[in-house]
Amino acid sequence: DAEARTAPEPKPEDLNLRLRPEFTGEPVLRAGDTVIVELEIIEPNPGEPALDPAFRERARGLIERAARGNPFGLSAAGALALPGIGPVPLAGLTIEEATARLERDPALLGLNVRLRLLPLDAQGAGALKPFGYELFRKEERATRPETGVPVPADYVVGPGDVLEVQLYGKESGRYTLEVGRDGNVDFPKLGPIAVAGLPYESMRRLLERRVGEQLIGVEVSVSLGELRGIQVYVLGDAERPGAHTVSALSTITNALLESGGVKEIGSLRRIELKRRGETVRRLDLYDVLLRGDTRNDTRLLPGDVIFIPPVGATVGVHGAVRRPAIYELSGETTAAQLVELAGGFRPEADRRLARLTRIGGDGGRSVADLDFTASDAGAMRVANGDTLQVFAIRPELESAVQLFGHVFREAPSGFRPGMRLTDVITSPQELRPNADLHYVLIRREIGPARTVAVLSADLEAALAAPGSDADPVLQPRDQIYVFDREGGREAIVEPILRDLERQATPQAPAQIVSIHGRVRAPGRYPLEPGMTVADLVRAGGGLQDAAYGDHAELARYEIRDGAARQTALIDVRLTAVLRGDEAANVALQPYDYLKVAEIEDWRNQGTVELIGEVRFPGHYPIRRGETLRSVIDRAGGLTPLAFPAGSVFTRLHLREREREQLRTLADRLEADLASIALQSAQAGGASQGAQALAVGQQLLTQLQTAEPVGRLVIDLPQIVNSQAGGPLDVVLRDGD
């Protein structure tokens, strides 16, 4: 539109911020980003019910797996895959939005999620830095060479150099001689000798010849002592341009270090050494850094000028290369040479998938895909501002099967044709204690579209008969999940169910069934090909003790004429199903819902406590509808010392009601006291109001500290003298 055509050209540095247009600075997640995920159990507040032990155990497992897996990288689709949880799409969300998205995931309910984005991602273009400038970033560096190193033969002697001279033979002596400003050195018994401007080796031979000619029978040894300092100039894009004093043995790189290094707008590849107005050498620091070639790192002379021109054409390389960075071009013209600058491909690089992004002359961007396995791909020319991204191969294990869940070792296994479940889980000793041997879930991806399919196996039957139909044949990329009998199964099952729901269509509904009621692990489960009621009971962990086995109700939803949904109820004889009666074992359809009822009158065992003057005091289990008279008879009746009229009967339910009433009265009294205090203040603090406040405050304190009893008034003499179940007898409850 017109507004977009007139928008200002974005600055290059703005292109690396990874911002969503509607945001003004908060980064959003993108494919390939690296994040840290921290999980924590949300503990209940005081007075709230305690957490279910099974939930706590499952949550602890998720927390441990997340801690081991940090940091996590978002997939090419921008999804986060936590261990035991399916991929959660996060691309395009801010950190706050992504955190909220994870906290609402069914597998993470009850957990506090903290998500942090690592700002420097070596795989992302936004984290690229110009290559080579870190050479100058260290705070402490020795910029002068050591004085103890050998002096090169071509070193030019000059004023300020110190000569160490030793005479031996007919005469001996040791002298320290400094070259004067006139270029002469005052040699003992020989007088001034001009040495300035001579190479070190020539100077040494000159002194040896003069001593041999003029001092008969004396020989001389000459070496350089303290070297003079020379002044050179570092100009252009240096951090501290200007004149610098360096050692006479210094080279171009020593002077650069002395000046603080090269600015990031300066070139590392076209550094010029000027001497008496002419360029005598050009230094490419990439030769030094990448190849260790110091041939052009020339030694300096007094008055030399080191000039750093502006940086030339630059390109960026990121992704699966050994040295991602922004590189300056100097003779490199092709994509293959650019990859060579970046150190080559990493082992996980997908050489068939690279992408070159270019800024065109019209201000737009263009993208070209490169296949470096092709003969001509590396010959593509690169230009200033280009960015080359080399993608890594997919993180999925193409020729492996993976084992997860309640096992000692969660690890992939190499796939081979004909591989079966028992080849991965060879014995029950590989499973953690209390693992469910009867329901092992296998998630499978089929075809190029990777359609998700699910099958299960009875591991106990498979281990008993390896290679049989009970031992399923595996395929590449299969994911095997082993469940904990005590822990919940939602963390593993729900992501698979979401995959099934996403690929569902009106013609092929989601392959999901449900089981609820008196089973050990109620919930939704994947519908497998040929799945029956017996398989669903096995998926639900089996029946509980309280399960009513004669009959169960199977609700089936059917769409009639594409306009209405009707529910059909099917009676299932569970006892016959579990005995192996194929006729009673109903085949399941999508969205079938099996309800396992509870045995009639099944309740948790209730108990009451008898204290005081009964023959056998203590705790007594009660039947449903049992009365006080019945339990007293079971306790042997009252003792001769019993005082039935003074007996006390308490009930938990009444105690809670009493506590609530006390709280209500205290709140009401507190409000009344506040009103009285306000009226007293408006009336000038009358003494009667002050007395009423004092009395009311005492009463409020008593109400707040009062402990409820939960007493129920009974007539025990009449109860024990009448028949059980009489009009005054009390039906007992658990906790009486």
Side-chain angles (χ1 to χ4, degrees):
D1 55 8
E3 182 179 356
R5 288 194 297 269
T6 58
E9 181 74 8
K11 298 179 180 179
E13 58 267 22
D14 293 336
L15 299 176
N16 293 330
L17 289 180
R18 300 187 294 184
L19 300 184
R20 209 162 57 194
E22 60 268 27
F23 284 83
T24 58
E26 189 174 1
V28 298
L29 296 172
R30 294 177 56 183
D33 279 348
T34 302
V35 295
I36 296 290
V37 182
E38 296 175 337
L39 304 178
E40 183 182 21
I41 298 176
I42 301 176
E43 298 293 344
N45 295 322
E48 295 181 351
L51 294 177
D52 180 40
F55 165 78
R56 188 178 292 276
E57 180 67 22
R58 180 181 66 84
R60 190 176 295 113
L62 288 175
I63 294 171
E64 291 176 356
R65 288 196 292 269
R68 289 196 303 266
N70 275 316
F72 293 93
L74 299 190
S75 67
L80 172 66
L82 294 175
I85 301 175
V88 182
L90 299 180
L93 302 180
T94 65
I95 293 298
E96 182 179 357
E97 293 169 342
T99 302
R101 167 68 180 86
L102 290 173
E103 287 180 338
R104 285 162 177 77
D105 191 277
L108 298 176
L109 292 178
L111 295 177
N112 183 31
V113 180
R114 286 193 297 273
L115 188 67
R116 289 182 292 164
L117 170 66
L118 295 183
L120 295 180
D121 176 12
Q123 301 296 324
L128 291 182
K129 293 183 177 180
F131 173 74
Y133 294 89
E134 65 275 6
L135 174 67
F136 310 103
R137 295 296 179 261
K138 292 186 178 180
E139 296 180 359
E140 298 180 0
R141 284 191 180 271
T143 59
R144 289 181 172 85
E146 297 290 339
T147 57
V149 299
V151 179
D154 60 349
Y155 172 74
V156 179
V157 179
D161 282 338
V162 176
L163 305 182
E164 298 289 344
V165 178
Q166 182 179 1
L167 300 177
Y168 58 95
K170 184 178 179 180
E171 296 182 15
S172 62
R174 181 181 293 274
Y175 305 96
T176 300
L177 309 177
E178 182 177 356
V179 180
R181 292 186 177 181
D182 57 357
N184 297 330
V185 59
D186 293 329
F187 202 92
K189 298 183 181 183
L190 298 182
I193 301 176
V195 295
L198 294 176
Y200 168 68
E201 188 64 26
S202 299
M203 180 271 301
R204 191 172 60 81
R205 287 198 301 266
L206 171 64
L207 294 181
E208 289 176 351
R209 180 172 55 81
R210 291 287 298 272
V211 168
E213 292 175 351
Q214 297 180 260
L215 299 176
I216 304 302
V218 178
E219 296 186 21
V220 64
S221 173
V222 182
S223 63
L224 278 175
E226 182 178 351
L227 301 179
R228 72 186 187 276
I230 62 173
Q231 189 177 63
V232 297
Y233 298 89
V234 183
L235 303 176
D237 292 313
E239 290 290 347
R240 295 192 300 273
H244 296 274
T245 300
V246 296
S247 166
L249 285 179
S250 294
T251 62
I252 297 175
T253 54
N254 297 131
L256 291 175
L257 292 169
E258 181 69 26
S259 67
V262 182
K263 293 181 179 178
E264 288 194 1
I265 61 172
S267 173
L268 296 182
R269 310 204 64 180
R270 296 181 293 113
I271 299 173
E272 300 176 356
L273 174 62
K274 296 179 180 290
R275 186 170 292 163
R276 292 185 292 275
E278 296 183 0
T279 301
V280 297
R281 193 62 59 95
R282 284 186 173 86
L283 174 64
D284 185 348
L285 278 179
Y286 280 22
D287 289 339
V288 179
L289 297 174
L290 298 179
R291 290 176 282 276
D293 184 357
T294 60
R295 287 177 296 178
N296 290 326
D297 191 13
T298 305
R299 199 163 40 250
L300 301 175
L301 296 179
D304 280 355
V305 175
I306 300 170
F307 178 71
I308 304 172
V311 67
T314 58
V315 293
V317 188
H318 66 102
V321 291
R322 298 186 185 276
R323 198 167 41 239
I326 298 173
Y327 292 91
E328 181 182 359
L329 298 180
S330 177
E332 295 84 10
T333 59
T334 65
Q337 293 172 326
L338 184 57
V339 173
E340 184 180 356
L341 272 182
F345 297 104
R346 292 211 307 264
E348 68 271 19
D350 189 347
R351 304 189 182 199
R352 301 167 302 173
L353 186 60
R355 184 168 297 157
L356 186 70
T357 304
R358 173 166 296 171
I359 301 177
D362 56 355
R365 287 181 176 268
S366 61
V367 176
D369 291 330
L370 302 181
D371 181 357
F372 278 91
T373 61
S375 58
D376 59 343
M380 183 171 184
R381 302 184 70 83
V382 294
N384 185 29
D386 285 356
T387 301
L388 177 65
Q389 181 178 9
V390 179
F391 292 95
I393 59 176
R394 291 190 300 270
E396 293 88 354
L397 296 173
E398 295 293 334
S399 185
V401 294
Q402 293 180 282
L403 180 63
F404 301 101
H406 204 60
V407 295
F408 284 111
R409 293 186 297 269
E410 289 188 341
S413 299
F415 176 79
R416 62 181 183 276
M419 189 176 189
R420 292 180 179 268
L421 177 62
T422 54
D423 295 324
V424 179
I425 306 176
T426 57
S427 71
Q429 282 70 32
E430 297 183 18
L431 310 180
R432 292 183 180 274
N434 207 37
D436 190 345
L437 296 177
H438 297 289
Y439 185 65
V440 173
L441 198 62
I442 303 174
R443 180 186 183 274
R444 175 167 295 171
E445 297 176 354
I446 300 176
R450 295 196 171 187
T451 303
V452 176
V454 181
L455 65 151
S456 69
D458 187 332
L459 182 59
E460 186 176 85
L463 292 173
S468 65
D469 292 340
D471 189 11
V473 178
L474 302 178
Q475 294 183 7
R477 300 195 305 271
D478 277 357
Q479 296 176 357
I480 305 169
Y481 297 94
V482 178
F483 295 99
D484 179 7
R485 291 178 61 87
E486 297 295 331
R489 303 186 177 185
E490 297 85 358
I492 295 175
V493 174
E494 282 300 324
I496 299 176
L497 297 180
R498 287 198 296 270
D499 291 336
L500 297 176
E501 290 173 338
R502 279 192 291 267
Q503 66 191 30
T505 64
Q507 294 75 27
Q511 303 297 296
I512 297 174
V513 290
S514 303
I515 182 170
H516 292 274
R518 285 300 187 171
V519 290
R520 300 184 185 278
R524 302 194 307 162
Y525 289 93
L527 174 61
E528 310 163 32
M531 190 174 186
T532 63
V533 169
D535 297 324
L536 183 55
V537 172
R538 179 169 54 86
L543 302 179
Q544 294 181 355
D545 295 341
Y548 180 60
D550 284 348
H551 296 279
E553 183 179 81
L554 180 66
R556 175 164 295 172
Y557 305 116
E558 297 179 355
I559 304 299
R560 297 295 176 87
D561 301 327
R565 187 180 79 169
Q566 295 184 355
T567 302
L569 299 179
I570 302 174
D571 184 49
V572 177
R573 294 179 293 117
L574 281 182
T575 305
V577 169
L578 299 180
R579 282 201 311 264
D581 187 346
E582 294 296 333
N585 198 11
V586 180
L588 299 179
Q589 297 181 10
Y591 300 117
D592 277 0
Y593 185 106
L594 182 64
K595 172 67 174 178
V596 179
E598 182 182 84
I599 294 177
E600 185 178 0
D601 293 337
W602 179 278
R603 292 291 183 273
N604 291 331
Q605 185 69 58
T607 59
V608 297
E609 185 179 12
L610 293 180
I611 304 173
E613 295 299 326
V614 291
R615 293 190 62 187
F616 306 110
H619 290 84
Y620 286 85
I622 57 173
R623 303 182 302 273
R624 187 179 182 186
E626 189 166 7
T627 64
L628 177 58
R629 168 63 188 276
S630 172
V631 174
I632 291 177
D633 290 343
R634 290 166 56 192
L638 305 181
T639 68
L641 298 179
F643 177 49
S647 60
V648 176
F649 186 102
T650 62
R651 176 163 286 175
L652 293 176
H653 172 66
L654 296 178
R655 187 180 304 168
E656 293 302 321
R657 286 181 54 186
E658 187 177 339
R659 179 178 287 108
E660 185 63 30
Q661 290 174 351
L662 288 173
R663 187 182 300 114
T664 302
L665 289 175
D667 293 342
R668 187 180 304 169
L669 180 58
E670 190 173 9
D672 292 342
L673 290 176
S675 177
I676 293 173
L678 179 60
Q679 294 174 3
S680 177
Q682 293 174 349
S687 59
Q688 292 181 352
Q691 293 176 358
L693 282 175
V695 173
Q697 191 63 43
Q698 293 178 357
L699 181 57
L700 178 61
T701 302
Q702 293 177 0
L703 286 175
Q704 291 175 338
T705 58
E707 188 64 28
V709 178
R711 182 169 179 176
L712 177 67
V713 178
I714 62 172
D715 188 350
L716 189 59
Q718 291 292 333
I719 292 175
V720 297
N721 292 328
S722 60
Q723 294 182 351
L728 297 179
D729 205 352
V730 179
V731 177
L732 298 178
R733 296 184 182 180
D734 183 35
D736 285 351

